[in-house]
Structures are given as structure tokens and as C-alpha cells.
Amino acid sequence: MTIPRRSWRAAGTLAAAAVVGLTGAVLTAGPAAAHTPTWDVTCTEVNLHLTAYNDRVTNQVTVTVDGKDLLPTETFGKGIDKTLTLPEHDKALTVRLVVKAGDGAQYSRDESKDAPVCEEKPPTHTPTPTPTPTETKPSETPTTATPTPSATPSETASSSAPAAATPSPSSPDLAETGSSSATPVIGGAAVAVLLAGGGIMWSVRKRRTAQH
């Protein structure tokens, strides 16, 4: 039995169409599985990881927080890896990620996540160190020794007036010369006064010399 040539040609056409369709399906599924947009949001930052994109086309990414740009539109190739710091906030923020893939809208992303408020940590009190008392040493004031004056021996004039000579009863009477018998006594007293005054003057000079 002979199969007509038209039947062979029809079968070949169907087989070729099946191969092309299968190849297209594989090529289409490949890029779809390759695009990997990964991102997470904490109370303080946004971690962005976009990998396995087509670097032969232009890809774009934008991140906004409550409608304000946190990451203005940026172009990337195979991927992008960024950590973005969120502003301080006392209420939850809405973070939006927009990825535009240059090789097809099916690979683009438009997602939103909430950034919670960070829990306040109790303040840690650092104990204040107690100052160590410092010993204050008294200032040593030099003492000036006051010289003690040396004792000045009191010198008493030891000179005594010589006793008036008493005439011996056995001696002969002297002739009266007209002078009184009290003349020797007065002369002896005068001599005694002169000697006493000289002793006093000598003692005063000695004391002054010792003081200077």
C-alpha cells in the first residue's frame, strides 16, 4: 500500500508546528521563572533584592512611602540589591514597590507592604559613679622660731665702800686743823655713791649690748 505524498507533507507540517510551539513554550516559561523580585519591610528599613532579570532590556524600580519617593525611579540590569532607611514614624507607613520589566508586563510588579511602628525600648540608666573623696592636705606654714633672748645675768656691783678708818685709842691725838670730825664719813659716803653709780652704769651698758 502506497501512502500519498500529500499525507507525508501534512504529517511533517504538524510535527514542525508542534516542535515550534513546544520551543516557544519553553522559552516563554524560562524568563518567567527567572525574574525574582524579593523585598521585605521592617519598622526601620526596606530590604530590596531583585535578581535574574534580563540585562538586555531596560528595567526600572521605584519605592515610595505614603506617596513620597523613598527610592526614585532607578534603572537596573540583571538585578538590584539595596537597603533603604525609613523615616521616623509614630504610625504605620505604607511602602509601595513598583518594578517595570523591559521584556514584558507579565514580569512587572506593583506591591505594597506596611512598615510597623518600632517598639520603644526602656531607657537604660547608667549608674553615676560616686566620686572618691580626695584628701586635702593642710598647707604647711613654715614657723619662724622666735629667738629667745639669752638671760642677762644681773650683775650687782660688788664694790663696797671702804669702811672709814677708826682711829686707834692708843694713837696720839692729832692736832685739830679746823676740819670737822665728820669729814671722813662724808668722804666715804661720796666714794660709795660714786662706786654705786659706776656699777649701775656698767650694768645698763652690759644689758644694752646683750639686747643688740
Side-chain angles (χ1 to χ4, degrees), residues 126-134:
T126 304
T128 305
T130 304
T132 304
T134 56

Side-chain angles (χ1 to χ4, degrees), residues 118-204:
C118 295
E119 296 181 0
E120 294 184 0
K121 295 182 179 180
T124 55
H125 297 284
T126 304
T128 305
T130 304
T132 304
T134 56
E135 296 182 359
T136 304
K137 295 183 179 180
S139 59
E140 298 180 357
T141 304
T143 57
T144 305
T146 304
T148 304
S150 59
T152 304
S154 60
E155 299 181 0
T156 306
S158 60
S159 302
S160 59
T166 305
S168 174
S170 59
S171 61
D173 294 336
L174 297 175
E176 293 183 3
T177 59
S179 62
S180 176
S181 61
T183 300
V185 177
I186 295 173
V191 172
V193 170
L194 291 174
L195 291 175
I200 292 172
M201 290 297 294
W202 180 85
S203 177
V204 171

